Amino acid sequence: LDCDVLKVAGSDLNIMVYTAEPGTEDAERLELLTLLHSRDRGDQALRDVDASEARDKLRHIREFVGE
């Protein structure tokens, strides 16, 4: 997992960007975090996911958390 900190010029604002090598466990965890955040916020992106993709993601989440 990589973390880059971007500093906004003229401000105290820092933006942290996390990236992971595709196909790794870290990449899967970042995807899961994104999915959970989207679900909690009710983002349009999650509503646009088709039903079979949503079922696959839910199955993956359950396997990941050991349910």
Side-chain angles (χ1 to χ4, degrees), residues 2-22:
D2 293 317
C3 177
D4 293 306
V5 178
L6 309 172
K7 297 185 180 286
V8 178
S11 153
D12 291 334
L13 181 64
N14 294 324
I15 300 171
M16 298 178 71
V17 179
Y18 292 94
T19 56
E21 188 70 32

Side-chain angles (χ1 to χ4, degrees), residues 17-43:
V17 179
Y18 292 94
T19 56
E21 188 70 32
T24 63
E25 187 174 339
D26 286 337
E28 290 178 6
R29 288 179 175 172
L30 281 177
E31 182 180 357
L32 175 61
L33 183 62
T34 301
L35 178 66
L36 291 173
H37 174 70
S38 296
R39 183 197 66 193
D40 290 344
R41 291 188 54 218
D43 285 353

